Amino acid sequence: MTNRVLTLSRLAVAAALVTSGLAAQAGEVEVLHWWTSGGEAKAASALKATLQAKGHTWKDFAVAGGGGDSAMTVLKSRVVSGNSPAAAQIKGPGLQEWAKEGVLANIDGVAKAEKWDAVLPKVVSDVMKYKGNYIAAPVNVHRVNWLWANPEAFKKAGAKVPTNWDEFFAAADKLKAAGIIPVAHGGQNWQDFTTFESVALGVGGADFYKKALVQLDAGTINGPVMLKVLETFKKVKGYTDKNAPGRDWNLATAMVIKGEAGMQLMGDWAKGEFIAAGKTPGKDFVCVAAPGTAKSFTFNVDSFAMFKLKNEANVKAQNDLAAAIMAPEFQETFNLNKGSIPVRLGMNLDKFDDCAKLSAKDFVDTAKANSLVPSVAHGMAVPPAAEGAIKDVVSQFWNTDAMSAKDAQVKLAAAAKTK
């Protein structure tokens, strides 16, 4: 769209607001995010258009870097200097840490008016609150505990897509015998832990996962189930290839796409790679819950924290932004682009593919069954210091052939005490 057309459309909106007596409420929202890839940028544009339609000005504050580390460094300097943006992409326990600093706004007014408590699972809404008040708006849900498989590779090997860990290793043996790398993996600590938490969930179940990896309960970490989890996890390593260390996750996904590898344990952002390669779910690739986890769901939720502002017009714009993020229209547009599913319950999913529909069904079912759990690997479950310490132990165990599961268990218990 040309600047002239944009200007005209803004003038038209402004005129409409004047007519309705609301022009004084038009404000500016500055939004810090790291949605700079193609699909994500499209989604951010949709949010921008929604705000502009309400007469507000959108000030884009995009900081490249998929994990958001660079964005957080910039945000800290802005907040310290008393120049906070209206909203920033923050998630998980990080929200509580910012809230404790007293810099986040209470957006209960929007949440109550839009009935957020009724359309969000409690386990998600709790993450968005501090001392009972909403401080952030959730954008999407990524399911982390997925297994992606190449059906042609499985056919060639005479194997079946596994539903439990015994079947997983049986299929891996058949793939290996057929000259196919059984498991595509990228040796980075978050990828190691993505695999580890799926093993923990599949071997131990949701209650074990919560006690061991969310509550960091010493008795559970030191127990026999964790020992079995560690042994199973290390066994997976034997089915990866020697070039795995340091490989990016999307390159591992490409191995499955090409049929060089049979399987990958990765979150649903991997689906974006299959789709971008022109592949069709159910035909060219298979999406199933990681072995033993069909009745559980590890979630990774992106969200926007709202910072305290002084200008009333900007506060109104900020509230409109929070409402727009949770609106069905944006939830659909954004998640179709991102490969994730709407965080809002009860959405029409006609435009979504079969993997997303399965994810959405399991999201609802596991929320009711109390088996919807936060992903440690993706910053949703424990404070950053403890998360970093237990990730380091898991990667050290993965990469050290001489380390026994018992040794790793002792180190894991010590790491879990990190504050």
Side-chain angles (χ1 to χ4, degrees):
M1 188 179 286
T2 66
N3 286 338
R4 183 169 176 273
V5 173
L6 264 175
T7 304
L8 287 171
S9 65
R10 282 181 187 147
L11 285 171
V13 169
L17 287 169
V18 170
T19 305
S20 60
L22 294 173
Q25 292 183 345
E28 176 184 273
V29 281
E30 183 178 18
V31 183
L32 182 149
H33 63 90
W34 56 89
W35 289 336
T36 52
S37 75
E40 293 169 338
K42 277 185 193 171
S45 295
L47 194 55
K48 176 180 178 179
T50 302
L51 267 291
Q52 287 177 336
K54 291 179 180 289
H56 303 305
T57 303
W58 171 285
K59 190 175 178 185
D60 204 52
F61 186 5
V63 181
D69 291 342
S70 301
M72 288 304 98
T73 303
V74 174
L75 179 63
K76 281 170 189 167
S77 66
R78 285 282 302 269
V79 174
V80 168
S81 65
N83 184 26
S84 304
Q89 193 179 346
I90 303 171
K91 65 181 186 178
L95 289 168
Q96 318 307 316
E97 295 196 346
W98 280 102
K100 282 176 194 166
E101 297 296 321
V103 294
L104 298 187
N106 179 335
I107 54 169
D108 274 352
V110 178
K112 282 174 183 165
E114 302 290 327
K115 300 181 172 60
W116 287 6
D117 278 346
V119 296
L120 287 173
K122 187 176 184 297
V123 71
V124 174
S125 61
D126 283 351
V127 177
M128 301 300 132
K129 292 177 181 177
Y130 178 67
K131 293 185 176 177
N133 304 123
Y134 277 97
I135 44 139
V139 182
N140 64 338
V141 179
H142 281 294
R143 187 182 198 172
V144 180
N145 60 313
W146 280 114
L147 176 77
W148 306 93
N150 182 311
E152 278 301 312
F154 270 75
K155 188 177 174 184
K156 182 181 173 185
K160 69 167 191 164
V161 176
T163 60
N164 60 46
W165 286 104
D166 287 340
E167 290 178 3
F168 177 89
F169 294 119
D173 283 333
K174 287 187 174 181
L175 287 161
K176 196 171 188 177
I180 298 163
I181 297 163
V183 182
H185 184 74
Q188 296 168 338
N189 77 346
W190 71 268
Q191 294 192 63
D192 297 340
F193 210 95
T194 294
T195 297
F196 178 75
E197 68 183 25
S198 284
V199 174
L201 191 61
V203 170
D207 287 342
F208 164 82
Y209 180 100
K210 281 184 270 192
K211 282 180 187 169
L213 298 181
V214 181
Q215 296 161 17
L216 302 178
D217 176 70
T220 308
I221 292 172
N222 286 305
V225 177
M226 181 56 84
L227 195 61
K228 188 180 179 189
V229 167
L230 286 160
E231 289 167 350
T232 305
F233 170 66
K234 192 63 170 274
K235 191 175 177 182
V236 175
K237 168 88 184 295
Y239 294 96
T240 62
D241 68 306
K242 67 178 182 357
N243 296 320
R247 178 187 286 139
D248 286 337
W249 69 270
N250 55 314
L251 298 180
T253 306
M255 291 165 65
V256 181
I257 292 171
K258 294 172 189 169
E260 294 169 8
M263 303 178 274
Q264 183 186 21
L265 290 153
M266 187 51 63
D268 55 18
W269 45 92
K271 184 178 71 177
E273 298 298 304
F274 285 99
I275 301 297
K279 304 300 181 183
T280 305
K283 177 172 165 268
D284 303 310
F285 67 96
V286 175
C287 54
V288 294
T293 72
K295 295 189 184 303
S296 301
F297 190 119
T298 39
F299 68 84
N300 175 19
V301 175
D302 286 315
S303 53
F304 277 108
M306 302 297 164
F307 283 78
K308 286 180 178 174
L309 302 173
K310 291 173 183 170
N311 181 294
E312 279 189 33
N314 292 350
V315 170
K316 170 72 170 76
Q318 182 186 57
N319 287 337
D320 284 347
L321 172 67
I325 286 169
M326 274 289 290
E329 300 80 11
F330 174 72
Q331 288 277 315
E332 178 181 275
T333 301
F334 178 83
N335 288 292
L336 283 170
N337 282 307
K338 188 84 161 62
S340 43
I341 59 168
V343 69
R344 185 187 177 104
L345 299 174
M347 290 271 299
N348 182 323
L349 299 175
D350 287 350
K351 293 181 184 175
F352 288 80
D353 61 48
D354 289 345
C355 296
K357 285 173 182 170
L358 174 61
S359 186
K361 179 187 181 298
D362 289 350
F363 181 56
V364 173
D365 291 348
T366 57
K368 289 175 184 168
N370 204 25
S371 54
L372 178 64
V373 296
S375 167
V376 181
H378 299 278
M380 296 303 302
V382 296
E387 180 192 323
I390 61 177
K391 275 182 177 173
D392 285 348
V393 170
V394 164
S395 284
Q396 189 185 0
F397 176 50
W398 178 266
N399 291 307
T400 310
D401 292 340
M403 188 187 292
S404 70
K406 189 64 194 169
D407 290 340
Q409 188 173 30
V410 171
K411 286 176 179 284
L412 197 62
K417 294 175 184 172
T418 305
K419 298 294 181 193

